[in-house]
Amino acid sequence: MAWALPEWTVLALLREESRHGFAIAALTAADGPLGQVWRIPRPLIYRALSRLEPAGLIEPLAVESGAGPQRTVYALTDSGREAVDEWLRQPSEHVRQLRSDLLMKLALLDRRGLDPRGLLRDQRAVLEPIVAALAADRKRQEDFDAVLLAWRHTNAGAALQFVDDLLAEASGGAGGQCHVDRPARRRSQDGG
């Protein structure tokens, strides 16, 4: 499916438990645990919900009423569960997606206590040929094209090193799991 990060994040958070849009928006706000990774404004959360329901990936479960406006609680459908579980296993195809997609997937996997090593190994398999191709292309370029390729090669190489570091940590860590969002949680709790 060709959903954007807000839709996938909503699906992943509903995979954890049924929620209403306001609760999801709090998790993805600038000061929320996932907002530390990628901030998704409240209007985008509600737009994602309005797109996912007609697609059959979520369904309204209940309506909460209280002092404020009524809030619809959503749950995943079986199709929604299958789609988001598949998305969480898919590596990013482009280096430019790693900052948003890969980090969000790692944070979401960590929230559920799931092992990220399969995703990281697949991400490494995507990055390795990209780094090799950029290194080969750099040797054939001149002028600004060489500068641009140097930039792309350095970024791709750093991404590959990041993935290798996480894999090494996951292999040697307690229980074989890599908890990549722990520092962000500490910063949030410390107020910094």
Side-chain angles (χ1 to χ4, degrees):
M1 287 179 212
W3 298 112
L5 188 57
E7 283 81 10
W8 288 120
T9 302
V10 166
L11 287 172
L13 289 171
L14 291 175
R15 181 70 167 99
E16 294 175 9
E17 65 182 58
S18 299
R19 293 182 162 99
H20 50 73
F22 191 80
I24 295 169
L27 293 168
T28 63
D31 60 346
L34 295 173
Q36 303 271 340
V37 175
W38 195 259
R39 184 180 166 274
I40 304 172
R42 188 178 309 147
L44 290 181
I45 297 298
Y46 286 108
R47 186 178 79 189
L49 289 167
S50 72
R51 294 176 72 202
L52 294 168
E53 185 179 354
L57 299 175
I58 63 171
E59 59 190 1
L61 186 63
V63 175
E64 290 181 356
S65 52
Q70 290 186 339
R71 295 180 176 158
T72 302
V73 176
Y74 290 94
L76 283 183
T77 63
D78 289 340
S79 297
R81 271 187 289 287
E82 290 172 16
V84 75
D85 287 349
E86 177 65 24
W87 175 74
L88 285 168
R89 290 189 295 267
Q90 294 301 312
S92 299
E93 293 297 319
H94 302 284
V95 175
R96 67 181 173 271
Q97 294 174 316
L98 296 178
R99 167 63 182 95
S100 54
D101 290 358
L102 180 64
L103 284 180
M104 185 60 83
K105 287 175 183 179
L106 290 171
L108 291 163
L109 289 170
D110 185 68
R111 287 174 59 86
R112 288 179 49 204
L114 299 175
D115 190 340
R117 288 179 289 183
L119 172 62
L120 291 169
R121 282 190 295 269
D122 290 346
Q123 189 63 66
R124 187 180 200 298
V126 168
L127 287 172
E128 198 168 31
I130 291 172
V131 171
L134 288 169
D137 286 349
R138 278 183 73 183
K139 295 175 184 173
R140 294 188 295 266
Q141 297 299 322
E142 296 177 9
D143 303 323
F144 183 73
D145 289 340
V147 172
L148 184 57
L149 278 171
W151 171 260
R152 292 180 62 209
H153 180 253
T154 299
N155 279 303
L160 182 58
Q161 184 61 56
F162 171 74
V163 169
D164 284 345
D165 290 350
L166 290 180
L167 278 167
E169 178 185 321
S171 295
Q177 294 201 358
C178 166
H179 299 285
V180 297
D181 68 336
R182 295 296 186 238
R185 286 184 187 165
R186 275 195 297 277
R187 276 196 309 275
S188 173
Q189 292 168 351
D190 295 339

